[in-house]
């Protein structure tokens, strides 16, 4: 059973203390989520760029259901640039906001043709000039298609680094820089994956599984969700939910079957 000290982590913390705690959080996340990875299926930089654009306001699972047909139909930047709008809209309709996303994909294909010989560039400064690609998407592409370290500040990432009091910044770019300063650059991409995995499976927005969390002793926000292991175990999600319980020292039998089958947000 998880216990916490009288003085919560993060209380009157020095910069050095915060860095040390951040590094410990990183090490625990590495052990907790050995399966962490980009959950958008792709085989090249263009596919990842397209999938990331489609993932706005949509689950990765839904995107992965849509992209096989999309990637087969549009294998190149030229194919996107010359696509029939109505046909593309129909293909990506299940991801939501399909008209805006279609517009982004058509313009992305044309921009890649006009400026980069149809290839997705491997520099942040170039990526962020492309239609539909902001800094978050650019970092996803860099880290997972080009092995260039990057921090992906999505809603899960923001929520968790605030709960851990690693930064008080609210602007995504400032969060990226503040958290990046706490970790070696080489760790940025995998750190992002692990934090996002933890946010989707354990540290939920409305009711985090505090009593079944491996980071309980390092988290200033412990107690935001139920601390009773039996109650917390029911909140774990995903195929490794029982492994997550074991890692936190909680009886895996407390994790119901529906939690294992639950779709991660």
């Amino acid at each position: 059973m998880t216990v916490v000290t009288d003085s919560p982590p993060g209380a009157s913390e020095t910069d050095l203390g915060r860095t040390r705690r951040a590094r410990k959080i990183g090490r625990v996340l590495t052990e907790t989520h050995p399966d962490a990875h980009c959950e958008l299926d792709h085989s090249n930089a263009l596919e990842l760029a397209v999938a990331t654009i489609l993932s706005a306001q949509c689950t990765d699972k839904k995107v992965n259901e849509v992209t096989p047909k999309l990637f087969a139909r549009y294998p190149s930047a030229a194919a996107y640039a010359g696509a029939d709008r109505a046909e593309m809209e129909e293909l990506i309709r299940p991801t939501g906001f399909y008209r805006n996303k279609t517009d982004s994909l058509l313009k992305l294909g044309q921009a890649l043709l006009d400026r980069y010989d149809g290839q997705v560039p491997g520099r942040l400064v170039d990526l962020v000039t492309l239609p539909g690609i902001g800094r978050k998407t650019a970092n996803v592409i860099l880290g997972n298609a080009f092995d260039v370290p990057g921090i992906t500040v999505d809603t899960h990432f923001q929520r968790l680094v605030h709960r851990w009091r690693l930064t008080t910044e609210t602007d995504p770019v400032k969060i990226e820089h503040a958290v990046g300063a706490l970790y070696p650059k080489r760790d940025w991409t995998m750190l992002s994956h692990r934090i996002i995995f933890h946010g989707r499976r354990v540290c939920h927005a409305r009711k985090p599984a505090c009593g079944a969390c491996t980071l309980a002793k390092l988290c200033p926000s412990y107690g935001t969700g139920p601390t009773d292991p039996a109650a917390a175990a029911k909140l774990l999600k995903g195929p490794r939910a029982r492994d997550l319980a074991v890692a936190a020292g909680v009886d895996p039998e407390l994790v119901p079957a529906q939690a294992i089958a639950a779709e991660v947000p």
Side-chain angles (χ1 to χ4, degrees):
M1 184 174 179
T2 308
V3 295
V4 293
T5 59
D6 292 335
S7 179
S12 302
E13 194 169 42
T14 64
D15 289 344
L16 178 59
R18 183 178 300 105
T19 299
R20 287 175 172 168
R21 185 167 58 85
R23 299 287 180 91
K24 288 179 183 177
I25 287 172
R27 290 193 291 272
V28 173
L29 288 175
T30 299
E31 296 172 356
T32 304
H33 302 289
D35 57 330
H37 63 280
C38 176
E39 295 190 89
L40 291 169
D41 295 340
H42 65 280
S43 61
N44 56 52
L46 177 61
E47 290 183 355
L48 181 55
V50 170
T52 308
I53 289 172
L54 295 181
S55 70
Q57 303 298 311
C58 182
T59 66
D60 289 356
K61 180 180 179 181
K62 179 59 66 178
V63 172
N64 291 338
E65 291 172 358
V66 167
T67 51
K69 287 184 179 179
L70 187 73
F71 294 162
R73 182 70 181 85
Y74 309 107
S76 66
Y80 283 99
D84 177 78
R85 177 180 290 273
E87 181 182 0
M88 183 178 287
E89 285 183 354
E90 194 58 34
L91 279 172
I92 68 172
R93 182 187 291 267
T95 69
F97 301 97
Y98 61 92
R99 290 191 178 91
N100 288 340
K101 291 178 182 179
T102 294
D103 194 52
S104 291
L105 295 181
L106 293 173
K107 290 179 178 177
L108 173 65
Q110 192 61 53
L112 290 175
L113 280 183
D114 292 345
R115 289 149 50 193
Y116 299 105
D117 296 322
Q119 302 300 308
V120 176
R123 299 194 310 162
L124 180 68
V125 66
D126 296 322
L127 285 168
V128 295
T129 69
L130 293 169
I133 297 181
R135 191 178 180 94
K136 181 185 77 171
T137 299
N139 277 324
V140 171
I141 296 168
L142 288 174
N144 297 283
F146 294 101
D147 292 324
V148 175
I151 287 179
T152 303
V153 183
D154 73 349
T155 55
H156 300 290
F157 191 99
Q158 290 189 50
R159 178 175 73 254
L160 269 62
V161 298
H162 285 155
R163 281 182 174 166
W164 298 334
R165 294 182 195 163
L166 299 185
T167 180
T168 57
E169 299 289 357
T170 56
D171 176 75
V173 177
K174 291 181 179 179
I175 291 172
E176 178 188 333
H177 292 314
V179 176
L182 300 172
Y183 294 92
K185 187 173 182 179
R186 64 178 182 274
D187 295 341
W188 287 355
T189 299
M190 285 308 302
L191 174 73
S192 299
H193 289 324
R194 291 167 186 143
I195 290 177
I196 292 169
F197 256 57
H198 201 70
R200 288 174 167 171
R201 291 155 175 79
V202 182
C203 194
H204 312 298
R206 294 185 179 178
K207 192 182 287 186
C210 291
C213 178
T214 54
L215 295 173
K217 293 182 179 180
L218 296 168
C219 181
S221 300
Y222 177 83
T224 300
T227 58
D228 175 63
K234 295 176 182 178
L235 300 173
L236 298 174
K237 289 185 177 180
R240 292 190 65 253
R242 286 181 176 158
D243 293 330
L244 296 175
V246 171
V250 173
D251 183 356
E253 295 303 316
L254 294 173
V255 179
Q258 57 264 37
I260 298 171
E263 180 179 337
V264 295

